[in-house]
Amino acid sequence: MWLHRWLSIGLAPLLLVLIVSGGLLAVQPVVEDWVAGPDADVPVAVPETLTWLDRLDQRQRARALRFEADRVLVLTFSQRGERRVVPFDLTTGEAGVERATGESFFRTVRHLHKDLLLGLDGLVEWVTYALLIIVVTGPWLAWPRLRNTLSDWHTGLGWLTLPLIFLVTATGALLALQWGTPALPEFDRDQPQVTLPAAIARAAQQGDLVAVYEAERFAQVSVALQGADATGNRVTYVVTPGEVARVTAYPGLVQSLHQGTWAGAISGALNGIAALALGFLLLSGTWVWLRRQWQARRREGDPAADILVAYGSQTGTAARWARATAKALRDGGERVLEASLAGVRPEELPGFRQVLLIISTTGDGEVPDAARRFVDALPGSRLSGARFAVLALGDSSYRQFCAAGERLRQRLLTSGAEEVLPLVKVDGDPAGPWRGWMDRVGRAVGTDLGELEAPDGGDQPVRLTLAQRQQLNDPADPDTNEVWSLVFECAEPLDYRPGDLLLVRPAPGAPARPYSIGSTPLTDPRRLMLTVAVVTRDDGTPGEASGLLCRQLPVGTPLDMTLRRHPHFHPPESPDRPMIMVAAGCGIAPFMGFLAEQAHRPRTGPAWLLFGNRKRAGDFFYRERLQRCLEEGHLYRLDTAFSRDADDGRYVSDCIREAGAELLDWLERRDALLYACGKASTLGRGLREALTGVLVEQRGLAPPEARERLRQWEAEGRLRLDLID
């Protein structure tokens, strides 16, 4: 992969010159075959040939001759760098219409192809070897797949045209090494050139040439002759200033294959196809790489931004308000960089005039997963000169209200950063506190923000009725957790996507619990599905929200809930982008909606699910539905792991390690998105460790480099985690 990628990218301009010029040269046999007549059935005797040359080329400027059927002699003249191809009727001796073969144009292109018009034939030789390495290594990297993505077109066309492009590149390398070419006599380019009449006469006198089919001057001073001996056998001579040598063939099979002259227009067309394929492969491969590099560095920002708006978001709320903050500041004339904390390093903060941080609290006072690495990296950082303000989003019904914001603030202060505005804690709806905070932000940065516009797409109150409840685990097996599939109905159509959240508040004043939606409105816009595990307290009683939904709420009973957007965890917007879904236990919840949407949208991007739980027989959730998805092609691949089964004993992290090579191929070459849903303490930790190990093993990275690669994937949105304990 390293050779294939970096040779292609590093030599792309030179390779493009060789490929384009080679493709143009492949047209020459097609043009010549188009304008030429059929070959002469029998060669013309040497005396007659010399007579015609003496009559038609008195100044001896012809550099090639060819006899065609119906007694036609075609001469190619060279004068002041121009080439003219003229046919003569030997019956009348009159010249015909000059043939437009583009000889002068092709000569310039050939010069470009061989030495870049600069005499750099040595450089071209090494680039040819590099191209052969690129072609040979390509098939080892991926099998072709029938998917409508640029990466898959790149792979598919590479495999389809491999024989042609290998033939062209391999013969080019052989020519550079002078292997497989006829043994020609040595000659000095500084010696006087041999004319066609002199070469024919010498081949007749010193050899056994008695008749001529064609002749061509090459390498400035030598002539190659095709003719016949006294017995009628075809012979080939090369005449240099000092020698007449009979050779087996000229220019030889290798050169004929490389130039596409072995079968006239047909072989030229095949070489043209090879050049087009090589050009597409070079451009598409380079574009895919450049797009990935751009995505890896993508952060929404203005040139020379001096204000950073960064967010730590678990469900998308903090991200939404960060976008509104950045927009308000831009509307006020400020230069702003907007980014997830997953894509920010602590040492960047002092480089901004003002740093505005918006962070949610998740779980029991936890930092959102995407921001955890940033917060953990703060201790020991030297942030003197960094000026910051924090807006903390939370819910006071939770025991540790806005704990993530407080932790972030404290670590920034400990690292030497200066707090320019007091910490603002938001309880519930952020609109009011956000506007007050933004007024103070505007004064701090010296900008009149005017009328502030709150972001769209906030929480939507909905009244849903429980329509169906089905237990997914085996209730007779004590080694399985109690898990239910719940279907709710609404009187009105619902606007959501798989991966959005349904917030359930079991009682007034109790904290709302988020559950991932595992359905799509494309199936039925008035229904949605949840997958809920019953949480058991230390005293054996069920959790309030899970107990209400799974045990207490009667079927047919309505319940007021809240629908919340979670755009970070939506299926890919691009219909051809592959997706990898990693789930443990109830983490399967959103992915059932992903697959349902996959079945209803015209998506061509493949879907791969890695699912783990305790027992195959007891808690393989949605087994039959997943099997149907495989059979119908909505799910490309399914890997499973069941930790309590004697014949398995694996975890999802083991599946990741085992499929590491293909998984990296999806992420790096096919630009897939990887989603993971489950517990942060188990799936989250195991996923990171497994991916780090795969990068170390498959890419040769050191562990710190591998962890940095994961951080980069999170920052660019290629790695999307919905983890909570």
Side-chain angles (χ1 to χ4, degrees):
M1 179 175 288
W2 189 94
L3 284 170
H4 187 83
R5 175 181 297 168
W6 293 111
L7 284 177
S8 301
I9 295 168
L11 298 175
L14 292 174
L15 290 171
L16 190 60
V17 170
L18 291 187
I19 292 169
V20 172
S21 59
L24 291 173
L25 290 175
V27 177
Q28 187 173 12
V30 180
V31 174
E32 291 177 346
D33 193 73
W34 177 266
V35 301
D39 294 338
D41 295 328
V42 295
V44 177
V46 167
E48 184 180 359
T49 301
L50 294 174
T51 299
W52 281 113
L53 284 175
D54 183 59
R55 175 180 174 182
L56 302 175
D57 184 27
Q58 295 180 4
R59 302 179 67 179
Q60 297 188 349
R61 288 181 173 169
R63 65 173 296 107
L65 69 83
R66 176 172 175 268
F67 288 105
E68 295 180 352
D70 299 326
R71 292 186 56 78
V72 173
L73 169 61
V74 181
L75 294 179
T76 300
F77 297 97
S78 176
Q79 185 175 8
R80 297 188 182 91
E82 295 295 326
R83 301 288 176 90
R84 298 170 49 239
V85 179
V86 183
F88 293 90
D89 186 342
L90 299 186
T91 303
T92 63
E94 296 181 354
V97 178
E98 184 174 329
R99 292 180 178 177
T101 62
E103 177 66 27
S104 298
F105 169 75
F106 287 120
R107 183 168 61 89
T108 302
V109 174
R110 188 175 296 106
H111 192 14
L112 175 67
H113 189 70
K114 289 184 174 181
D115 60 15
L116 305 178
L117 300 177
L118 298 171
L120 300 175
D121 47 340
L123 176 60
V124 171
E125 179 179 342
W126 285 105
V127 174
T128 302
Y129 301 149
L131 180 57
L132 181 60
I133 293 173
I134 293 168
V135 171
V136 170
T137 55
W140 294 94
L141 301 183
W143 288 100
R145 301 183 188 279
L146 299 177
R147 303 290 182 179
N148 190 27
T149 69
L150 185 59
S151 292
D152 286 321
W153 276 102
H154 178 90
T155 304
L157 185 65
W159 274 96
L160 181 65
T161 60
L162 180 61
L164 278 179
I165 61 179
F166 177 77
L167 177 67
V168 172
T169 53
T171 52
L174 290 174
L175 287 176
L177 292 169
Q178 297 185 349
W179 291 355
T181 57
L184 302 179
E186 296 183 0
F187 55 87
D188 186 350
R189 292 176 184 267
D190 293 330
Q191 290 181 295
Q193 69 179 17
V194 179
T195 64
L196 292 185
I200 295 171
R202 287 175 59 190
Q205 294 167 2
Q206 301 176 31
D208 57 358
L209 181 73
V210 298
V212 179
Y213 283 107
E214 57 183 316
E216 178 184 11
R217 196 165 68 234
F218 72 97
Q220 299 179 358
V221 297
S222 303
V223 173
L225 298 168
Q226 305 280 344
D229 59 16
T231 61
N233 294 322
R234 197 171 187 111
V235 293
T236 301
Y237 281 95
V238 170
V239 182
T240 68
E243 185 178 352
V244 174
R246 182 169 176 173
V247 297
T248 55
Y250 178 84
L253 179 61
V254 172
Q255 187 164 329
S256 296
L257 290 173
H258 184 71
Q259 294 178 342
T261 56
W262 53 275
I266 295 176
S267 57
L270 291 176
N271 276 29
I273 293 172
L276 288 173
L278 274 170
F280 173 82
L281 293 173
L282 177 65
L283 295 175
S284 61
T286 303
W287 172 251
V288 168
W289 180 82
L290 289 173
R291 183 180 64 182
R292 289 174 182 166
Q293 296 304 304
W294 173 78
Q295 289 176 337
R297 292 169 172 78
R298 181 178 58 186
R299 299 193 290 187
E300 301 294 334
D302 305 316
D306 60 356
I307 296 178
L308 171 65
V309 177
Y311 57 88
S313 185
Q314 187 72 19
T315 64
T317 302
R320 189 164 61 250
W321 289 95
R323 283 192 290 272
T325 300
K327 180 180 183 302
L329 289 167
R330 287 195 184 100
D331 291 345
E334 298 295 336
R335 302 186 304 273
V336 183
L337 173 65
E338 175 195 341
S340 166
L341 283 173
V344 177
R345 299 185 304 276
E347 58 267 26
E348 294 182 80
L349 302 191
F352 294 93
R353 175 167 62 97
Q354 186 68 260
V355 176
L356 305 176
L357 304 169
I358 303 176
I359 188 168
S360 299
T361 298
T362 185
D364 189 14
E366 295 298 322
V367 173
D369 190 72
R372 195 168 299 166
R373 189 177 298 272
F374 175 86
V375 175
D376 290 344
L378 285 173
S381 300
R382 297 180 179 179
L383 301 183
S384 177
R387 295 163 50 84
F388 75 93
V390 176
L391 180 69
L393 309 184
D395 187 334
S396 61
S397 59
Y398 282 85
R399 188 163 50 90
Q400 298 196 53
F401 173 53
C402 289
E406 290 182 337
R407 188 181 311 167
L408 173 62
R409 171 184 176 271
Q410 188 57 48
R411 292 193 176 183
L412 286 167
L413 291 172
T414 303
S415 300
E418 176 189 355
E419 186 176 35
V420 296
L421 292 176
L423 172 69
V424 173
K425 296 182 179 181
V426 176
D427 185 10
D429 184 8
W434 175 75
R435 286 190 171 91
W437 185 67
M438 287 296 292
D439 286 340
R440 294 191 288 276
V441 166
R443 290 194 294 272
V445 300
T447 300
D448 182 7
L449 299 179
E451 187 69 24
L452 293 171
E453 182 180 349
D456 295 329
D459 293 349
Q460 305 173 40
V462 291
R463 188 171 181 82
L464 301 177
T465 300
L466 180 61
Q468 181 181 328
R469 181 160 52 209
Q470 178 184 3
Q471 190 165 3
L472 298 177
N473 69 300
D474 182 359
D477 190 338
D479 279 343
T480 63
N481 293 324
E482 183 180 346
V483 177
W484 296 79
S485 174
L486 309 173
V487 177
F488 290 90
E489 291 182 343
C490 184
E492 302 295 332
L494 297 166
D495 180 17
Y496 71 92
R497 283 196 73 192
D500 283 342
L501 303 173
L502 191 65
L503 276 59
V504 179
R505 193 177 298 274
R513 302 293 185 183
Y515 294 95
S516 293
I517 298 175
S519 55
T520 172
L522 298 175
T523 302
D524 187 337
R526 290 181 171 81
R527 304 187 107 198
L528 59 78
M529 185 184 79
L530 304 181
T531 303
V532 180
V534 176
V535 177
T536 304
R537 298 190 179 101
D538 293 338
D539 60 3
T541 59
E544 288 185 277
S546 61
L548 171 66
L549 295 175
C550 297
R551 296 183 181 178
Q552 301 164 13
L553 187 68
V555 174
T557 304
L559 185 66
D560 291 325
M561 292 179 272
T562 302
L563 192 62
R564 173 173 292 176
R565 296 285 187 187
H566 191 191
H568 178 71
F569 217 74
H570 286 170
E573 291 293 339
S574 174
D576 61 356
R577 195 167 191 181
M579 60 180 174
I580 304 167
M581 301 165 286
V582 182
C586 279
I588 191 71
F591 300 136
M592 299 309 299
F594 281 37
L595 294 174
E597 184 176 281
Q598 181 97 343
H600 285 83
R601 294 181 67 190
R603 277 188 51 83
T604 57
W608 178 2
L609 174 63
L610 299 96
F611 172 69
N613 215 339
R614 295 186 176 187
K615 292 190 172 184
R616 182 181 299 274
D619 49 16
F620 188 172
F621 305 150
Y622 304 109
R623 180 175 186 171
E624 292 78 11
R625 195 179 305 181
L626 292 174
Q627 189 60 44
R628 285 199 304 273
C629 288
L630 276 172
E631 294 170 355
E632 296 170 1
H634 309 311
L635 183 60
Y636 170 79
R637 175 172 173 175
L638 173 62
D639 292 6
T640 58
F642 297 97
S643 58
R644 301 288 178 89
D645 283 354
D647 60 348
D648 192 333
R650 299 178 305 150
Y651 295 88
V652 173
S653 55
D654 297 313
C655 293
I656 292 173
R657 293 186 182 93
E658 292 167 6
E662 184 166 3
L663 190 144
L664 285 185
D665 178 69
W666 279 47
L667 286 170
E668 295 176 338
R669 188 187 62 82
R670 307 182 70 184
D671 199 25
L673 295 180
L674 189 150
Y675 301 82
C677 186
K679 290 185 176 181
S681 59
T682 54
L683 178 67
R685 182 178 297 115
L687 173 71
R688 292 184 185 280
E689 291 176 354
L691 288 175
T692 299
V694 168
L695 285 168
V696 169
E697 179 181 349
Q698 299 289 334
R699 297 295 179 262
L701 301 181
E705 294 174 320
R707 289 189 286 269
E708 175 62 22
R709 180 73 58 85
L710 295 184
R711 187 200 68 80
Q712 186 181 31
W713 286 350
E714 283 190 73
E716 66 190 57
R718 190 181 304 184
L719 182 59
R720 304 187 178 189
L721 309 179
D722 191 2
L723 306 171
I724 193 170
D725 283 326

